[in-house]
Amino acid sequence: MASSRDITSPSGSWQTDEGSVDDDMDFELASSQASGISEEIEDNGDEGEAETTLYFDAEEGVLRDEDGDTVTFETSDEMSEDLEDGGEDEDEEEEDEEEGTRTPQVATATASGSAESERATQTIRITQQQIMQLLSQAGIRGIFQNAGGPTTRSQARRGNTQHVQLDDDDDDDEDEDEDDMGEAYAAGYGARRRRSRRPVPVGERYPPIPNPEGQKLMDSGAFGYNDRCDHSVCGVPYEAATQQKRRKLAHRMLDRELGLSNRGRGRVLSSLAAQDLIPKSKADLIINLNARCYSGQFSEDGSFFFACGQDFKVRMYDTRNPYDWKYYKTVHYYGGQWTITDASLSPDNRLLAYSSIRSQICLANTEQGDDNEPQLLDFSDMGSGGQGGGRGAWGRSRGHFGIWSLRFSGDGGEIVAGTSDQSVYVYDLEAQRSILRIPGHQDDVNAVCFGDKMSPHILYSGSDDTTLKVWDRRSLASMRPAGMFLGHTEGLTYIDSKGDGRYVISNGKDQTCKLWDLRKMINTDEAERINPQEFTSNFDYRFSPYDQTDHRPHPHDCSLVTFRGHKVLKTLIRCHFSPPESTGGRYIYSGSHDGKIYVWNLDGTQAAEPINVRAATINSRPVSDERFVDRYDYYGRGGQWKTIVRDCSWHPFAPVIAATSWNGWDHGLGTATVHSWNDGVETDEVGGEVDGFTGASGREMGKAGSLGSTAMGARVTAELGHDERYYGLVQQQQAGAGRRGGLRERMGGLGSLFVGGGQGEEEE
């Protein structure tokens, strides 16, 4: 799912940070009455100790004091056992203490941090009862050991537990019983299951890089062209050092000109030149949106681009010239819930289907000048002849579910959807109803796609149950998959097919992207004997960073290549194959929580430096634009520029990548940025030394006749209009911005409530 499960819930591990304070963090209060807790701690501790207010850092999953120093708790063995058991009833504790049968234990909290290379230490004396009081506060339990439990909404429903509102990625869920978030963990924590101890792996936790299987694929020619010696009969590839020299564009063009007598050789050389043109970090265009941008893709012919926002609007841009965009249309999802979760374009580019956390999707016409309202298609309507059960066969959902993923079939006649009722639906556009429901997963289905553009028979579905399943619609009488891909140890966030019926990639919350081959899937009979829950750490990607030390390699991993380096946190990050026309599908690329786009070779190595969207957009709009951010919570707002690249799209023919991001102050806003290959040149031939990054004014940038003739770094509104407020901000806001000081400097009139006040930060 995209958004409703972006609500924070506890982590399954105790993560302790003894390093320096990070500039890019969300600070959250350990309690809405932190000062009261501090007084109790002071009263029960030694006299003369200063009052201490603790804050919870959701990004790192640790406690901090007012100076931003990390606070860790050291408890005795007896107390640790009590904490793991959830503590005893408060009345029983008081009775035991009166009878003298219990001696209050003392825990020592050590605060460690770095200030001018010196480490400050302070001791906080806390009784066991006070520890339990801290634990009763929402979110604090997540930093203690053995806090495993429900991590997805489906798991919470099955365990009759509740999630708590903790982060700015919150959401209103479709189920009424989950809307009451005020009880924190009072009712749900008693039902939390304890995670079993898993053996520490022997050897490497991840497959090797470069990966031999991926290298074979690169050498085979199935993914792009290779440099091969034209004097050799067998066409042996050049050595790596020789290939590196030949990759320069000038060398490629010279080879092509010299090889004109051989048309085949000239075509190969042209393709070799194109596939090496990987876009760079500097943005040609920064489109500022007043809501988080969840997804955006080019059409297959590159003629237009659409961007979906949390404001339930889909904006369409004419990109027939990929360097000169033109805005032309916006369509809406009226009555949507939380956000637009996904969108898919029909093969003929005439229809755009987009979904929200509802069982209905919108179908809009993409033609310019067409002002008709989108058509609503109800996926819960299966009529009387729908395969997989009629109206009475929905089970728990009763026809009320959210849609997280959509894909058009290759002929444009069907749409497949992944939903929150653990099922895959297929909707027939001609019949105007769902014709198939596959209840094939144990958790939400976050991603779906067709395996082959030429056939609608093979479907892929990826779920929070960590499995990627293959469905053959020609043999679904038993509603069993044709096979499974096992290897992810956490839930899947996105899948993308190469379109050849063979290769598919997936992004997972275990911080990996994997390449799969249909011929190497696990047999259904064998796969169904494997419990995927045995290999997961119950990591909750909405809460805190993934602990790499907690990763255990999947013993049944059947993937070809594992790609690493990016971060899948806060939201469902997407990955894609690079386009076949310009790159031969030679690369895998993905967005990331750290504000970058990662591009990998098939062997798992990085093909180029990550495209740094955060660095290209930092401080590109005034901090006053935070007025557009809906305040779903009261903490974690530090007034910092943060970027999460949720989706990205490589133009099918030009060396251009468009990134759609949660971007802005505390990533509460959004951007769609355009990055192109520029051969490493830092200045623009149009603007010279004056462009959107070096102090140009909106008036100067707006003098150009079109965006194509505007200097690099143009900063525009959603309708591609120049806004004077977006320019000249880098120098103004970064001049006085240094490394963040103590939290006291950001404490406003709300007392101990941290609301933030910094207007910028140094670029990483």
Side-chain angles (χ1 to χ4, degrees):
M1 156 238 98
S3 51
S4 86
R5 284 163 313 139
D6 293 350
I7 306 171
T8 308
S9 65
S11 168
S13 61
W14 180 0
Q15 182 170 345
T16 304
D17 181 8
E18 296 184 354
S20 59
V21 179
D22 190 358
D23 279 347
D24 194 11
M25 294 180 180
D26 285 332
F27 287 89
E28 303 181 358
L29 280 178
S31 167
S32 59
Q33 297 178 348
S35 59
I37 295 176
S38 300
E39 292 173 2
E40 293 185 22
I41 293 174
E42 183 179 5
D43 292 341
N44 286 274
D46 295 337
E47 295 183 1
E49 291 187 356
E51 177 181 300
T52 302
T53 302
L54 300 181
Y55 298 85
F56 184 63
D57 179 358
E59 289 281 345
E60 299 296 331
V62 297
L63 288 173
R64 299 190 182 279
D65 62 12
E66 293 182 353
D67 295 322
D69 296 331
T70 302
V71 176
T72 60
F73 289 93
E74 299 175 358
T75 62
S76 66
D77 294 339
E78 180 180 353
M79 184 184 301
S80 300
E81 294 176 359
D82 290 338
L83 292 177
E84 290 181 1
D85 294 336
E88 297 184 359
D89 185 83
E90 184 177 351
D91 295 336
E92 295 178 359
E93 292 184 67
E94 294 176 357
E95 181 179 353
D96 289 341
E97 289 177 331
E98 290 177 0
E99 296 177 357
T101 58
R102 177 179 297 273
T103 302
Q105 300 294 324
V106 177
T108 301
T110 303
S112 59
S114 61
E116 298 179 359
S117 301
E118 294 182 1
R119 182 165 295 178
T121 302
Q122 70 177 62
T123 300
I124 306 173
R125 301 180 63 84
I126 307 176
T127 67
Q128 177 180 343
Q129 183 176 357
Q130 292 159 351
I131 287 287
M132 295 309 300
Q133 182 180 1
L134 282 174
L135 288 178
S136 69
Q137 306 302 318
I140 304 303
R141 291 179 183 267
I143 68 169
F144 285 91
Q145 228 169 358
N146 297 326
T151 59
T152 64
R153 291 194 175 277
S154 295
Q155 293 171 350
R157 286 193 292 266
R158 289 195 295 270
N160 193 28
T161 61
Q162 293 181 331
H163 282 270
V164 64
Q165 177 178 351
L166 280 180
D167 207 353
D168 54 3
D169 307 334
D170 202 353
D171 176 25
D172 297 325
D173 192 78
E174 66 272 17
D175 295 329
E176 294 180 359
D177 57 63
E178 294 186 8
D179 289 336
D180 183 11
M181 311 297 262
E183 295 183 13
Y185 290 93
Y189 213 83
R192 293 169 67 87
R193 65 180 185 271
R194 184 178 301 174
R195 186 181 55 182
S196 60
R197 295 182 180 273
R198 295 182 296 156
V200 177
V202 177
E204 296 295 331
R205 297 175 184 268
Y206 298 96
I209 296 177
N211 188 289
E213 291 295 325
Q215 189 62 54
K216 291 178 183 178
L217 289 175
M218 294 176 65
D219 294 340
S220 68
F223 291 84
Y225 288 97
N226 295 296
D227 274 307
R228 297 183 181 275
C229 177
D230 50 2
H231 300 293
S232 172
V233 176
C234 59
V236 176
Y238 285 108
E239 296 292 335
T242 305
Q243 290 187 34
Q244 189 66 31
K245 295 178 182 178
R246 296 172 61 87
R247 280 177 183 155
K248 292 187 177 180
L249 184 61
H251 199 155
R252 299 284 197 200
M253 294 299 99
L254 178 60
D255 282 351
R256 189 185 68 172
E257 294 303 316
L258 294 176
L260 285 178
S261 59
N262 185 332
R263 294 184 178 179
R265 181 65 177 168
R267 183 169 60 253
V268 170
L269 288 169
S270 295
S271 298
L272 283 169
Q275 73 183 20
D276 287 338
L277 306 183
I278 300 176
K280 303 299 180 182
S281 291
K282 273 205 167 182
D284 292 351
L285 180 66
I286 303 172
I287 303 174
N288 289 290
L289 308 175
N290 293 331
R292 290 169 172 168
C293 204
Y294 268 73
S295 64
Q297 289 290 305
F298 285 106
S299 59
E300 289 191 7
D301 62 359
S303 61
F304 76 94
F305 178 85
F306 63 85
C308 306
Q310 197 173 5
D311 53 1
F312 302 102
K313 297 179 181 179
V314 182
R315 296 171 175 87
M316 303 182 190
Y317 302 93
D318 184 340
T319 57
R320 285 173 290 185
N321 181 345
Y323 302 97
D324 188 9
W325 288 30
K326 294 180 175 61
Y327 165 81
Y328 74 88
K329 188 176 183 179
T330 296
V331 293
H332 301 77
Y333 192 126
Y334 297 107
Q337 186 172 342
W338 180 247
T339 187
I340 292 177
T341 55
D342 199 7
S344 180
L345 189 64
S346 63
D348 60 5
N349 295 339
R350 295 182 56 191
L351 298 174
L352 181 70
Y354 51 102
S355 60
S356 185
I357 311 178
R358 297 183 58 193
S359 58
Q360 295 84 23
I361 71 166
C362 289
L363 193 65
N365 196 309
T366 63
E367 294 180 0
Q368 299 189 32
D370 188 306
D371 297 328
N372 293 324
E373 290 294 326
Q375 178 185 1
L376 277 179
L377 307 180
D378 189 356
F379 273 62
S380 67
D381 180 10
M382 299 195 67
S384 59
Q387 185 180 358
R391 289 186 178 274
W394 294 325
R396 187 185 299 108
S397 68
R398 290 293 178 186
H400 302 289
F401 51 81
I403 295 177
W404 311 132
S405 180
L406 287 176
R407 286 295 179 278
F408 266 97
S409 61
D411 60 4
E414 296 177 340
I415 302 175
V416 62
T419 68
S420 64
D421 73 341
Q422 308 170 12
S423 303
V424 177
Y425 286 79
V426 177
Y427 191 95
D428 189 297
L429 291 176
E430 183 176 355
Q432 293 288 291
R433 63 177 175 82
S434 291
I435 60 173
L436 175 62
R437 173 179 178 259
I438 308 174
H441 284 278
Q442 301 176 19
D443 215 322
D444 291 0
V445 181
N446 294 329
V448 291
C449 68
F450 286 93
D452 192 340
K453 293 182 179 179
M454 305 303 295
S455 171
H457 298 306
I458 303 299
L459 301 174
Y460 295 113
S461 61
S463 169
D464 267 330
D465 63 13
T466 76
T467 64
L468 174 57
K469 295 187 177 182
V470 184
W471 306 94
D472 189 339
R473 296 173 59 186
R474 295 165 294 188
S475 57
L476 277 178
S478 62
M479 286 294 168
R480 298 177 70 206
M484 296 188 201
F485 293 120
L486 301 180
H488 282 294
T489 56
E490 310 295 341
L492 278 69
T493 66
Y494 195 77
I495 56 177
D496 186 36
S497 172
K498 193 172 184 287
D500 58 358
R502 177 177 297 179
Y503 296 104
V504 63
I505 57 174
S506 60
N507 242 1
K509 298 173 186 176
D510 55 7
Q511 316 302 298
T512 65
C513 177
K514 288 182 177 289
L515 173 68
W516 315 87
D517 187 339
L518 188 65
R519 298 168 298 181
K520 297 189 177 184
M521 65 182 179
I522 299 178
N523 178 272
T524 303
D525 292 333
E526 178 184 351
E528 288 182 343
R529 290 194 293 267
I530 301 171
N531 181 10
Q533 294 302 314
E534 292 181 3
F535 313 110
T536 181
S537 67
N538 289 325
F539 165 67
D540 194 324
Y541 76 116
R542 300 161 293 179
F543 180 69
S544 61
Y546 185 73
D547 187 355
Q548 299 286 348
T549 62
D550 201 35
H551 178 77
R552 303 292 186 270
H554 200 298
H556 306 282
D557 189 354
C558 62
S559 62
L560 293 180
V561 186
T562 298
F563 307 92
R564 296 168 46 225
H566 63 316
K567 296 181 179 179
V568 182
L569 296 169
K570 299 290 187 182
T571 184
L572 304 183
I573 306 293
R574 302 185 167 198
C575 60
H576 302 278
F577 285 99
S578 63
E581 290 82 2
S582 58
T583 68
R586 190 171 187 80
Y587 307 112
I588 307 296
Y589 64 105
S590 172
S592 178
H593 173 267
D594 59 8
K596 299 177 182 179
I597 301 173
Y598 288 79
V599 183
W600 295 283
N601 294 308
L602 263 294
D603 61 358
T605 59
Q606 291 191 19
E609 284 294 318
I611 301 171
N612 196 332
V613 178
R614 179 183 179 275
T617 59
I618 187 169
N619 294 337
S620 59
R621 64 189 302 171
V623 69
S624 60
D625 280 357
E626 272 200 310
R627 68 185 185 277
F628 295 112
V629 179
D630 290 323
R631 299 293 177 164
Y632 295 102
D633 49 46
Y634 60 83
Y635 44 77
R637 302 294 181 176
Q640 296 183 14
W641 191 273
K642 299 179 181 179
T643 304
I644 301 176
V645 180
R646 191 178 191 275
D647 197 8
C648 41
S649 179
W650 201 316
H651 192 278
F653 306 111
V656 170
I657 288 180
T660 45
S661 310
W662 297 8
N663 208 353
W665 301 104
D666 296 304
H667 54 59
L669 305 171
T671 60
T673 55
V674 183
H675 307 261
S676 64
W677 176 83
N678 58 14
D679 202 17
V681 177
E682 292 298 322
T683 58
D684 187 22
E685 63 272 14
V686 175
E689 297 294 335
V690 179
D691 56 23
F693 302 101
T694 56
S697 66
R699 182 174 303 176
E700 292 173 329
M701 299 290 280
K703 289 180 180 179
S706 65
L707 289 177
S709 56
T710 302
M712 181 183 292
R715 303 170 182 183
V716 296
T717 62
E719 289 74 31
L720 304 188
H722 291 279
D723 191 326
E724 183 71 33
R725 300 179 313 117
Y726 295 158
Y727 295 94
L729 293 174
V730 175
Q731 293 81 2
Q732 298 173 15
Q733 296 184 1
Q734 287 188 339
R739 196 166 183 84
R740 297 196 330 168
L743 288 177
R744 290 192 186 92
E745 299 178 3
R746 292 165 173 80
M747 305 289 282
L750 297 180
S752 63
L753 180 61
F754 173 71
V755 296
Q759 293 190 349
E761 64 175 335
E762 291 181 349
E763 184 175 329
E764 293 180 351

